[in-house]
Amino acid sequence: MQTMPAHAAHHGDREIETLQEFDATVSARGTLAGFRIQAVDLTDRTRELLATDTAGAVFLGCAMREEAAVKIRADGALVFPPVPDLAFDPYRGLLYSPDELFTGLDRGYEQTPDALAYAWFQRTKADGDIFASMLRAVHDDAVSDALDELLRGTRVVGVMGGHAMARGTEAYAGAARLGRELTREGFVVATGGGPGAMEAANLGAYAAPYGDTMLTEALQLLAKEPRFTPSITAWAAAAFEVRTRWPKGGGSIGIPTWFYGHEPPNAFAAHIAKYFANATREDGLLARCNAGVVFLPGAAGTVQEIFDNTTPNYYESRGEPTSMVLVDRAHWTEKLPAWPLLRSLARERSMESRIALVDRIEEAPQALKRLGG
C-alpha cells in the first residue's frame, strides 16, 4: 500500500514551513539567505533571527518581535506580516487537516474555522474589495503549492461523484469499498472532499489498513446521520466518532471549496486542500489525477468534471491521456447520456483506448488497470 509521503522530503526549493525545519536549517546552514519562510511563528526565535543572515529571504505571515522584523528588513528580506483578525491563514505552508477545519465542533459547526472562513468569504465576495480578493488568491496559491509538495511522486486516482449519495445506502458502501481497494492497490485517492460519494471514497481509503469488520461497523455508525442536512454538526460528529474508534486510518486527499459553502468538507480525507475559487479547485483536482479518474453517478457537477477531464485528454495538453472509468451504464447512457458523447469525442484519438463504461462499482479498479491506470 502506498503511504502518503512525509511532508517536505523534497525541499530543494528552499521553503521552510515548520518550526522544526526552521531550527534544522539555521543549525545546519547558518544562513537563511534566499529562503522562503511560510506561516511559521517565530516569536521565540528572536535571538536566531538577529544572529542569522536573511538577505533575499521572504517571510510570509510569520509572527515575530519588532526588533527581529526591523533587523531582517535591514538585511534586505521581504516581510509580509500576518493579517490580523482573519478566519484563515493566507500564507499557510501545509494543507488542512479535518481536526483543524473542525476545531470547536462540540460548540456547533458554526463556530469552526471552516464555517468562519465561509462566513468571511460571504461577507467579502460581494463588496469587490481588492484586499480580500488578493488574500483569497494568495491563500489558494499557497494551498496549491502545499498540494504539489505532498503529492510529488505519487499515483493519484480521482473518485468523482455527487454530494447527494446518503450514508447507509448500498451506493455509499460501494464507493467506500472502491476507495479502500484503490488505496490497497497503492494509489492515493483524491476526491472533491465533500459529503456523499466523495466522503465514501475518502472513508474507504481511511479503512484500508483495517479488516472488513471495521468498514461494516463504520458504515453502521455513520448511517445514524445519513446527510449533512439538517445538522452539519451531527453529521460531522458521527465521522469523528468513527475516527476516534479507529484512529490509524489510511491517507487520502480531499479538494473541496468554500464556493459551495453549504457543503462541508468530510473528516476522512487526511489532507484537505480547500479553495475559495471553485475554478482553481476543479482544474487542480483533475490535473493531479495522474493515474486516472473514476466517475460515479452524479448530476451536473459530475457531468462537468467528465468533460473538464475529457478536454486535456482530447488535445493531449497535459501529455498522454489519463484513464477515465464511468460507473453505472443506465445512468451514463440513459439518465444523463454523457457516455455516447465521450465515446464520439474519443473516436480515432489516443484517448479512445483510455475510456471505459462499467455496470458495477466493483468493476472499476479492474477497468482502471486494464486501461493502464
Side-chain angles (χ1 to χ4, degrees), residues 23 41 54 74 85 89 149 154 178 181 193 274 329:
D23 292 341
D41 186 343
T54 58
D85 306 320
D89 180 358
E149 286 169 9
T154 59
L178 173 67
E181 181 165 348
K274 191 151 191 181
R329 191 172 300 271

Side-chain angles (χ1 to χ4, degrees), residues 210-270:
Y210 292 96
D212 286 355
T213 318
M214 175 269 175
L215 186 55
T216 306
E217 290 179 13
L219 290 167
Q220 284 166 351
L221 264 176
L222 294 170
K224 293 186 299 192
E225 297 293 341
R227 299 184 184 278
F228 64 94
T229 53
S231 168
I232 293 177
T233 308
W235 173 85
F240 279 101
E241 193 184 331
V242 169
R243 290 187 32 170
T244 305
R245 273 191 62 179
W246 296 279
K248 294 189 165 32
S252 66
I253 302 282
I255 306 185
T257 173
W258 279 294
F259 180 77
Y260 298 129
H262 63 284
E263 197 177 280
N266 77 71
F268 293 112

Side-chain angles (χ1 to χ4, degrees), residues 90-123:
Y91 303 113
R92 57 180 307 117
L94 306 174
L95 296 182
Y96 293 98
S97 68
D99 296 302
E100 182 183 358
L101 286 175
F102 284 106
T103 303
L105 183 67
D106 50 346
R107 297 194 302 277
Y109 171 72
E110 294 66 34
Q111 300 304 309
T112 63
D114 186 62
L116 295 172
Y118 176 60
W120 174 88
F121 182 33
Q122 288 298 94
R123 278 198 311 278

Side-chain angles (χ1 to χ4, degrees), residues 95-303:
L95 296 182
Y96 293 98
S97 68
D99 296 302
E100 182 183 358
L101 286 175
F102 284 106
T103 303
L105 183 67
D106 50 346
R107 297 194 302 277
Y109 171 72
E110 294 66 34
Q111 300 304 309
T112 63
D114 186 62
L116 295 172
Y118 176 60
W120 174 88
F121 182 33
Q122 288 298 94
R123 278 198 311 278
T124 60
K125 74 176 182 189
D127 62 14
D129 178 7
I130 180 67
F131 183 53
S133 64
M134 184 197 82
L135 291 174
R136 292 197 295 271
V138 169
H139 169 276
D140 285 2
D141 204 53
V143 166
S144 288
D145 183 60
L147 186 58
D148 285 337
E149 286 169 9
L150 184 77
L151 293 181
R152 206 172 268 152
T154 59
R155 292 155 71 225
V156 182
V157 171
V159 178
M160 308 296 148
H163 63 252
M165 185 186 282
R167 294 167 171 176
T169 60
E170 186 40 51
Y172 184 96
R177 288 192 294 270
L178 173 67
R180 184 175 67 173
E181 181 165 348
L182 290 170
T183 303
R184 287 176 176 173
E185 290 282 343
F187 296 109
V188 173
V189 169
T191 76
M198 300 173 270
E199 179 186 62
N202 288 130
L203 166 66
Y206 189 88
Y210 292 96
D212 286 355
T213 318
M214 175 269 175
L215 186 55
T216 306
E217 290 179 13
L219 290 167
Q220 284 166 351
L221 264 176
L222 294 170
K224 293 186 299 192
E225 297 293 341
R227 299 184 184 278
F228 64 94
T229 53
S231 168
I232 293 177
T233 308
W235 173 85
F240 279 101
E241 193 184 331
V242 169
R243 290 187 32 170
T244 305
R245 273 191 62 179
W246 296 279
K248 294 189 165 32
S252 66
I253 302 282
I255 306 185
T257 173
W258 279 294
F259 180 77
Y260 298 129
H262 63 284
E263 197 177 280
N266 77 71
F268 293 112
H271 307 276
I272 300 175
K274 191 151 191 181
Y275 288 93
F276 288 107
N278 187 45
T280 311
R281 169 253 190 170
E282 283 284 1
D283 190 56
L285 171 54
L286 292 163
R288 288 175 177 86
C289 297
N290 56 6
V293 184
V294 178
F295 297 91
L296 302 179
T302 312
V303 172

Side-chain angles (χ1 to χ4, degrees), residues 279-362:
T280 311
R281 169 253 190 170
E282 283 284 1
D283 190 56
L285 171 54
L286 292 163
R288 288 175 177 86
C289 297
N290 56 6
V293 184
V294 178
F295 297 91
L296 302 179
T302 312
V303 172
Q304 181 184 341
E305 284 161 348
I306 289 173
F307 292 104
D308 276 349
N309 201 45
T310 298
T311 306
N313 282 344
Y314 180 90
Y315 290 113
E316 299 191 44
S317 53
R318 292 186 190 130
E320 223 180 289
T322 50
S323 306
M324 298 174 67
V325 178
L326 278 58
V327 175
D328 189 336
R329 191 172 300 271
H331 187 85
W332 295 121
T333 60
E334 292 156 36
K335 192 174 177 190
L336 296 172
W339 174 252
L341 179 52
L342 175 62
R343 211 178 43 190
S344 303
L345 277 168
R347 194 168 293 127
E348 293 176 9
R349 300 186 82 86
S350 55
M351 69 176 283
E352 191 169 19
S353 62
R354 293 295 179 86
I355 62 171
L357 174 66
V358 297
D359 276 318
R360 291 166 41 254
I361 203 163
E362 289 72 23

Side-chain angles (χ1 to χ4, degrees), residues 18-93:
T18 63
L19 205 51
Q20 292 77 1
E21 287 180 23
F22 178 87
D23 292 341
T25 304
V26 170
S27 79
R29 303 208 179 194
T31 179
L32 291 165
F35 274 81
R36 312 288 183 246
I37 301 91
Q38 233 176 311
V40 181
D41 186 343
L42 299 173
T43 322
D44 298 330
R45 294 295 184 274
T46 307
R47 196 165 49 88
E48 290 79 354
L49 289 169
L50 293 178
T52 307
D53 179 18
T54 58
V58 180
F59 291 82
L60 296 164
C62 299
M64 63 180 77
R65 300 199 191 282
E66 186 52 34
E67 59 182 306
V70 168
K71 179 264 177 188
I72 65 182
R73 282 198 184 97
D75 277 356
L78 270 177
V79 179
F80 293 79
V83 182
D85 306 320
L86 204 56
F88 60 95
D89 180 358
Y91 303 113
R92 57 180 307 117

